[in-house]
Amino acid sequence: MTDLKHSSASSATSGAGGATSPLDAQRRRLRLPFILPAVIFYTVFFVAPSLASFVISLYRWRGAGDEPEWLGLGNFLRLFNDDIFRGAFVNTLIVLLVVGAIIFALGFFFTAFVAEMRGKHLLRALIFFPSLVNPVVLAIAWGFILDPTRGALNTTLEAIGLGNLKQVWLGPQLIFPMILLTMAWMTVGLFTVILMAGADRIPVSLYEDCDLAGASIGQRFRMVTLPLLWEVAAVAAVLWVITAVKAFEFIYAFAGVGTAPPRSTWTASVYVYMQGFGSQGLPELGRASAMSVVMLIVVGVLVVVLRRLMSRQKVEF
Amino acid sequence: MAVQFADQRTSEPRPRPRGGTGRLRRGTPAPLARRRTPLRMLGMAAVWLWVLFNLAIFVWMLLSSLKSDGEVFADPWGLPNVWRFDNYVRAWEGSDLGTATLNSVFLVAAASVFTVAIGALAAYPLSRLQSRSSNVTLMYFVLGMGVPLQSIVVPAYIAMAGLNMTNTLGGLFLLYVGFSLPFTVFLLTGFFRTLPTRLEEAAALDGCSAFRTFRSVMLPLARPGIVTALLLNVVSLWNETLLALIFIIDDGRQTLALAILGFYGTMLYNSAWGALFAGVCIVVLPMLLLYLWLGKNIMDGMTLGATK
Amino acid sequence: MSIDNMTDEVAALIEPTGVDAVSFRGATRYYPKSDVAALDGFDLEVSAGEFMVLVGPSGSGKSTALRMLAGLEGVDAGSIHIGDVDVTHLPPIQRDIAMVFQDYALYPHMTVAENIGFHLKVAKVSRAEITARVNVTAEMLGLTPYLGRRPAALSGGQRQRVAMGRAIIRRPKVFLMDEPLSNLDAKLRTQTRNEIARLQRDLGITTIYVTHDQVEAMTMGDRVAVLRDGALQQCDRPKRLYQRPANTFVATFMGTPSMALLDAHLDGEAAALPGHAPIALTREQRAALTGGHVIVGVRPDAVSVVPAGQGIPGTVEVIEELGNESFLYVRAELAGQSATIAVQDRDGVMEIAPGAMVGLRVSPDMVHLFDGGTGLRLPD
Ligand SMILES: Nc1ncnc2c1ncn2[C@@H]1O[C@H](COP(=O)(O)OP(=O)(O)O)[C@@H](O)[C@H]1O
Ligand SMILES: [Mg+2]
């Protein structure tokens, strides 16, 4: 008969509750040995080098045998007066924005239509597949297609009587736009499938309600899919920023067939590679690191800005 | 003795269509769905066009790998006159793609398995303990996903040079593990979180130690997640080029991506187009087979992070 | 199903190795970031071999108590003992406890046989013995045909049996069950309820059984402990709990339809109920009162219907026809308060329709009296 009883022993510990259960105590003993291997490998082989690039960016260093020379922020100051750097930086932003715009536009477009089509799983799989292929290979394929003299595009245009549309696709004027288009082609699959996976989670009942209300496909998309996909799109946008800044293989292979890629096509990642490891002249390890530091900061800022811009009241469904 | 349960699912006879001598049509769309407006038709046509284009590119790659060198350019859209399966032999032997393929297979397998093994070990407690320190640790891994790979190449190169590990597959292995861990830990932590804690409690009462619980109960349950993590690592490492390009100089230690890049470079001089495409197909086909076999896992895994 | 018709040899495989008493001594649990105790100074003695039921509304701390005993939840104050051993800080396995979870917690990747035998396997029992014990247990629970199946391929009732089997096979000192029947349909629940009670008697294992269903509590337990908001209200044999509820909470929680509580005030030596003859209080009862208010608890069998104009006036709201008996729910208006009083229609002959005006008469010797201030029962 302990009605409304409050034992004095318990009120003493009030608020300081949550004693570890014997089960948790047992588990906790394993925490360190479980987590440590991953933390060590990750720290030593990824985090430490990332941080070291900050240090190296403060030196002039021309590779093995050279004595590093302290420059302070000199590399960064030099960078901004360096046309090649500015070009690479701007190119990276162009990739980010132009390719980004294309893939999200196409991604939403596919998401709106494929959901309504028969065989949507097959369609989805086929849209996605290029994401699994080595960008080097895709660059080679596009190189063959766009080859000005013998490439499939120009010969086909000629064959179907559209010879006047022939272009020197890989010439200095068009090569960068071509990189943008082909990059969009190869990346759109992944982002489409992400958006589609988000759309899959929207309850069917909402669409049935649209059907009852007689909404058109455009209205359905605008009024149900898009708002409920916002969250997923925001994460996808962050993912795109990271992907875009990282992109290297495709541009390198696309533009530099056996030679160095022309400067007009350099992006930040190509710049880092060329400065640090490209075969012409001595490596500029400090400057390459400065570039990677700048890009790391750009990614950080963009991710924060994107999250701000796109954060809205979380929709629960 | 056992109690017999009445089957809950009543099997009412299906209503037959009136006048029903004909076959029952299944899956008749609701009258409201699938109205064929012009906009809708246009959109669907565009989707099909895109998909067919993708398909065409890959068919073209495959066919080109079976053509003579001249045909690759002369007749891009036709079937090969003579099916040149020897292109594959040329690529495999003539330009060391064989060695490179074996290098890639071993490197990718070792790095993926190792990454997933230590990633799963870490992900399990991280998914379970809600302490500040484990949240911080998880965050520490997640941040790594945002670091562009080019940020680590210079220091990593210098460090590996100091250890005499440039130009070795072992060095590449270590870096691969390092940069694959963030996503792996992130993915698997999310996956372990979906597993019921109730089962761990049951296991504890059944006498399992924490490690036994992990091995006998959680790991088997996490199998789909583990498989997905393995697949994603295999795909990403199979296609990794930047680090290989920087670290490997020796032809004998090339990975496949590197070999095909080199092959492409020399193509300008020796015009072995058919063999080049055979090489391209050697890069693509394993991914294609993996995709045909476990495509759903791959797609689910790649979209998981964004849609959770 | 029963142990009686097994050979001694077979029975030995499943009989418990020893039974022990369980005691909670001031056991207290605060969940992290919570200022409210989920279990507050909980004292309970369960004797060896006893079937104890913990009952209470959802959120009253029943599962918390069980999980603390199992070692799945920490103990913030007080202690827990099994036999002579203080197990407060022992890891789960050293407590020799088996538990049946509400959702059964079967291992989805193991067959029924593997699920049932898992503990033995972990304990490194020989394979031959595992097989033998699994077979006996499965036979006892009627699971033999399903031994090779995975849990996903079983019905709810079968899964429940597997969970039981997994616990029984261990011959534990203590058996814990947390709402093991709540996922079954009504008919199966009644049947399984009786089987569990019989099994417990046959095996004689100390059992603590959690439920929010007072019918289960009343029919299964040797004793029943009633919890509310983490505090023990009363622990007694089911019959006593019904006949002598310790406070108004237990009084209304046990029994359907619920006991109605009417406010009365002390008028001389009796409790005055508006519109009704006063109910006399003994001297002890008057002495126990903390104020001038008395609560009169009325179960359906303590009221009878009289023609309108006599007794307490009321309106029939609902008639609940259960086949063998029926109840009237009468909305009674007593100066300043209105209460719904359930009335048992003993003869089933009342020709009354909802909306009818009736009078109610309370049998003074069948009411329960509680202090108006504390809600505690007044001495009889
Ligand atoms: N893991 C938990 N974290 C925080 N509060 C909890 C947790 N589990 C239970 N509680 C709270 O503790 C109280 C008792 O819960 P519980 O023991 O599960 O009740 P019962 O089993 O009687 O329904 C409830 O108020 C509940 O909200
Ligand atoms: Mg509970």
Side-chain angles (χ1 to χ4, degrees), chain C residues 26-109:
Chain C
T28 299
R29 172 67 178 160
Y30 287 88
Y31 280 104
K33 298 186 192 117
S34 166
D35 285 340
V36 184
L39 195 66
D40 194 359
F42 184 58
D43 289 310
L44 188 70
E45 300 282 338
V46 185
S47 42
E50 187 176 14
F51 195 124
M52 171 69 79
V53 175
L54 301 187
V55 72
S58 168
S60 56
K62 311 176 297 283
S63 298
T64 303
L66 216 56
R67 293 166 52 80
M68 286 161 79
L69 172 56
L72 303 176
E73 210 68 75
V75 178
D76 288 310
S79 62
I80 297 174
H81 304 256
I82 297 178
D84 304 328
V85 186
D86 179 349
V87 298
T88 313
H89 301 292
L90 284 187
I93 184 57
Q94 288 175 30
R95 305 180 183 211
D96 199 5
I97 275 177
M99 183 156 171
V100 176
F101 293 90
Q102 179 172 359
D103 55 8
Y104 315 140
L106 303 181
Y107 307 115
H109 58 297

Side-chain angles (χ1 to χ4, degrees), chain A residues 1-7 9-11 13-23 26, chain C residues 28-30 35 40 43 71-76 90-92 95 232-233 246-247 374 376:
Chain A
M1 237 169 285
T2 47
D3 180 64
L4 310 177
K5 171 180 167 185
H6 281 273
S7 82
S10 63
S11 40
T13 57
S14 173
T20 312
S21 74
L23 173 58
Q26 201 180 358
Chain C
T28 299
R29 172 67 178 160
Y30 287 88
D35 285 340
D40 194 359
D43 289 310
L72 303 176
E73 210 68 75
V75 178
D76 288 310
L90 284 187
R95 305 180 183 211
L232 179 63
Q233 305 291 304
N247 57 36
T374 61
L376 293 180

